[in-house]
């Protein structure tokens, strides 16, 4: 591989940050675990400049594109969880807000310009916090991409529960199914 060739991110490695960080992102010196006061918590601290690494989850945002009480799911074409089902979404870039990310990622992954609706919820696992919005489809039908090798709308009773990509996917789909079933019983 040449120095300027494009690469694909190894998302499995991304989950190792910050736990396995060894060097200071500011000066490159070694990091060591130290007790940080007044919070009395162990944090990685640079041995040269004193930079303290405050760990936090990576922020992801995505859309539940809803069409007649069916949600659009994509079969992942990339790792992690290649071949599993999830919704369009991805990492929030520095300086970008979650709503803009959800719209951008939906367009990148399935070629749809959607109308953002209300927040479905915020879902967490150890390294990721996922913000999920409800959305309505635009004019374009969903299309296939490298990231979405199959796209399909599922009703609440058709969800491929054993084939969902991530715990946060399961949590978000569970919240959506409860929302749909709750709205059907109150009508």
């Amino acid at each position: 591989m040449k120095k300027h060739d494009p690469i694909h991110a190894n998302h499995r490695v991304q989950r190792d940050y910050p736990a396995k960080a060894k060097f200071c992102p500011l000066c490159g010196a070694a990091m060591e675990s130290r007790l940080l006061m007044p919070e009395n918590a162990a944090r990685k601290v640079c041995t040269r400049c004193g930079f303290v690494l405050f760990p936090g989850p990576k922020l992801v945002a995505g859309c539940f594109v809803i069409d007649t009480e069916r949600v659009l799911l994509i079969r992942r074409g990339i790792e992690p969880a290649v071949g599993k089902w999830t919704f369009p979404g991805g990492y929030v870039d520095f300086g970008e807000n979650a709503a803009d990310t959800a719209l951008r990622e939906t367009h990148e992954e399935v070629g749809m310009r959607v109308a953002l609706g209300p927040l479905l919820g915020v879902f967490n696992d150890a390294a990721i916090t996922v913000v999920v919005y409800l959305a309505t489809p635009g004019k374009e039908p969903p299309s296939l991409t490298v990231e979405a090798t199959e796209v399909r709308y599922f009703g609440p009773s058709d969800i491929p529960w054993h084939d969902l990509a991530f715990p946060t996917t399961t949590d978000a789909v569970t919240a959506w199914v409860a929302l749909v079933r709750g709205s059907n019983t109150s009508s």
Side-chain angles (χ1 to χ4, degrees):
M1 178 169 60
K2 294 179 184 170
K3 182 177 177 180
H4 298 290
D5 285 347
I7 64 165
H8 290 280
N10 180 342
H11 292 289
R12 290 189 191 282
V13 172
Q14 298 305 118
R15 290 177 173 261
D16 289 340
Y17 179 83
K20 293 184 179 179
K22 296 178 183 178
F23 302 101
C24 176
L26 297 180
C27 74
M31 302 284 282
E32 67 181 13
S33 184
R34 302 274 308 272
L35 192 60
L36 184 65
M37 301 308 282
E39 59 191 64
N40 201 30
R43 300 281 185 240
K44 291 193 175 205
V45 179
C46 177
T47 57
R48 182 183 306 143
C49 74
F51 172 81
V52 178
L53 184 61
F54 290 96
K58 292 289 287 176
L59 184 59
V60 169
C63 288
F64 265 41
V65 180
I66 307 298
D67 188 15
T68 60
E69 292 192 353
R70 296 176 308 143
V71 63
L72 180 74
L73 297 180
I74 65 171
R75 190 179 296 273
R76 288 182 58 82
I78 61 172
E79 289 292 350
V82 68
K84 300 287 186 174
W85 292 96
T86 192
F87 51 92
Y91 289 116
V92 176
D93 291 335
F94 188 77
E96 185 178 40
N97 69 49
D100 290 342
T101 299
L103 293 170
R104 174 181 56 78
E105 286 287 341
T106 301
H107 185 253
E108 287 175 6
E109 291 184 7
V110 295
M112 297 176 78
R113 295 191 191 281
V114 299
L116 211 56
L119 180 69
L120 173 65
V122 178
F123 308 93
N124 300 289
D125 73 12
I128 305 286
T129 296
V130 182
V131 177
V132 182
Y133 295 92
L134 297 174
T136 55
K139 297 176 186 173
E140 313 89 355
S143 58
L144 301 181
T145 64
V146 170
E147 294 184 69
T149 59
E150 186 177 349
V151 293
R152 191 169 134 202
Y153 283 97
F154 292 91
S157 60
D158 303 322
I159 301 295
W161 292 103
H162 297 294
D163 245 358
L164 296 179
F166 309 107
T168 51
T169 305
T170 301
D171 293 345
V173 171
T174 300
W176 174 74
V177 168
L179 180 70
V180 169
R181 289 189 174 148
S183 68
N184 286 340
T185 59
S186 63
S187 323

